[in-house]
Amino acid sequence: MSLKPIVSVPPHIKSEKTIGKLMGWTISALLPIVILDIYLFGGYAFRTICLSIIATVITEIIVLKYRHMPITVIDGSAILTGLVLALTLPPKVPYWIPLVGGFLAIFFGKQLFGGLGYNIFNPALVGRAMLFVSWPEIMANSWFASLKELDAITTATPLAALSQVRAGTLVADLSVVYKPLFFLNRGGCLGEVSALLIILGGVILIAKKVIDWRIPVSFIGTVMFISFIAKTNILLNVLGGGLLLGAFFLLTDPVTSPVTRKGRVVYGIGCGLVIMLIRLYSGYSEGIMFAILFMNAFVSLIDKFTRPRKYGLVKTK
């Protein structure tokens, strides 16, 4: 029997991990959050999530048709972008906000760079950032309700209240919000209703090897360490705002995060450092969106300097 070499085009390494499977697992891990949102906020949540997904899918189809490329929305990436964008929005935003945000996310965050795999920044956060700077009042005043435990003290969000406590303008025991933030929170964005469900979703994705544990662990660990050094509330910095949603579902985007193991640790630490700088030294009490977009810009550089050395090569001096 003669053995003939097989010559074929790349990729030469096959994997069972398809884009559709990765997106499907991520969407499935977010479903408990979606169900809780609809239970808590009813039609507001259902409308925002549906319109956001519709906008991202339709925009993707139109742009791909215009570019004469195959329609690939069945891979679920546009659906996931719409879902994640909706989860970063307040529940009571007007109906046109998720529609505009979905268009901005796909057009400017994804297709303008060349489509899936070529985008530098997380598309959902690009859409969210453009909405945030264009309509700040709507994005800041469309909450369903504030935490009743915190409302008895102040009308601020937990992180804003923490800033006031740190500045000495408010004296309060913020430990009263730990339990609602962990189990059931009606005072944040759609993706901030339960830290417990977000962590469970993240653990599922890590167990199925959809995401790398190094990114959320290094990110959350850095936030906890800096909170300890700065003598500010560690639990509130972790549970408050969109930190956990960002740790498990935004930082870990396979396109906009490093591919090397060391790079993923550096990326997580860098993002944790940036968000704490924002929270400690700026007038903005959240910061997850800006921290991730900022670190997205350095992903190529991180990969370059953390690339494993080829076997047999000696490091040049």
Side-chain angles (χ1 to χ4, degrees):
M1 183 178 67
S2 63
L3 295 177
K4 295 182 179 179
I6 299 174
V7 180
S8 64
V9 296
H12 302 296
I13 299 176
K14 303 295 183 181
S15 172
E16 294 183 354
K17 289 182 180 178
T18 63
I19 295 174
K21 285 184 179 179
L22 295 177
M23 300 300 164
W25 273 110
T26 308
I27 292 171
S28 300
L30 287 170
L31 280 182
I33 299 290
V34 173
I35 293 171
L36 183 58
D37 279 331
I38 295 173
Y39 171 76
L40 290 176
F41 308 123
Y44 289 106
F46 184 76
R47 181 192 66 181
T48 300
I49 292 170
C50 288
L51 291 177
S52 181
I53 292 175
I54 289 170
T56 53
V57 170
I58 291 179
T59 304
E60 179 109 321
I61 292 173
I62 293 174
V63 175
L64 289 176
K65 275 187 171 293
Y66 178 79
R67 297 176 62 197
H68 303 290
M69 296 183 68
I71 307 300
T72 56
V73 291
I74 197 170
D75 64 17
S77 63
I79 295 174
L80 180 60
T81 298
L83 177 57
V84 172
L85 171 65
L87 295 182
T88 65
L89 299 177
K92 292 179 69 174
V93 290
Y95 72 91
W96 53 270
I97 283 286
L99 289 174
V100 174
F103 164 76
L104 296 173
I106 294 296
F107 188 82
F108 290 101
K110 183 178 177 183
Q111 293 297 337
L112 204 61
F113 289 93
L116 183 63
Y118 297 95
N119 51 295
I120 300 172
F121 302 100
N122 186 299
L125 288 183
V126 170
R128 210 265 182 190
M130 296 178 83
L131 290 174
F132 183 81
V133 298
S134 301
W135 296 281
E137 290 188 4
I138 292 176
M139 296 293 285
N141 299 311
S142 299
W143 311 109
F144 199 84
S146 57
L147 280 176
K148 64 179 181 181
E149 291 82 357
L150 194 63
D151 205 29
I153 304 170
T154 171
T155 56
T157 65
L159 289 176
L162 178 61
S163 296
Q164 293 175 18
V165 170
R166 197 166 51 244
T169 57
L170 175 69
V171 178
D173 177 16
L174 296 179
S175 63
V176 294
V177 301
Y178 293 162
K179 187 176 178 180
L181 284 177
F182 190 77
F183 291 104
L184 197 64
N185 171 26
R186 293 168 59 90
C189 292
L190 290 173
E192 302 170 8
V193 289
S194 171
L196 175 62
L197 292 183
I198 294 173
I199 293 171
L200 287 176
V203 170
I204 291 172
L205 294 182
I206 291 172
K208 300 301 294 184
K209 296 185 178 180
V210 174
I211 64 174
D212 189 336
W213 60 269
R214 291 173 182 81
I215 295 177
V217 168
S218 58
F219 172 57
I220 296 172
T222 302
V223 169
M224 296 178 71
F225 177 73
I226 296 177
S227 299
F228 174 76
I229 296 297
K231 297 180 180 179
T232 184
N233 194 306
I234 297 175
L235 276 179
L236 208 52
N237 271 304
V238 173
L239 298 176
L243 189 137
L244 289 175
L245 182 71
F248 291 107
F249 294 96
L250 294 170
L251 265 82
T252 53
D253 176 13
V255 177
T256 57
S257 61
V259 296
T260 65
R261 293 178 179 177
K262 287 182 182 176
R264 288 169 178 171
V265 175
V266 172
Y267 177 67
I269 292 173
C271 204
L273 180 62
V274 173
I275 191 174
M276 288 309 296
L277 286 175
I278 293 173
R279 288 184 176 184
L280 291 173
Y281 299 108
S282 80
Y284 188 47
S285 58
E286 173 48 285
I288 183 68
M289 174 181 69
F290 295 116
I292 295 175
L293 290 175
F294 180 80
M295 288 305 297
N296 282 166
F298 291 94
V299 166
S300 296
L301 202 61
I302 293 171
D303 274 334
K304 179 181 178 181
F305 286 103
T306 58
R307 189 167 47 196
R309 184 162 52 89
K310 292 180 180 178
Y311 181 74
L313 291 184
V314 179
K315 186 177 181 181
T316 56
K317 295 182 179 178

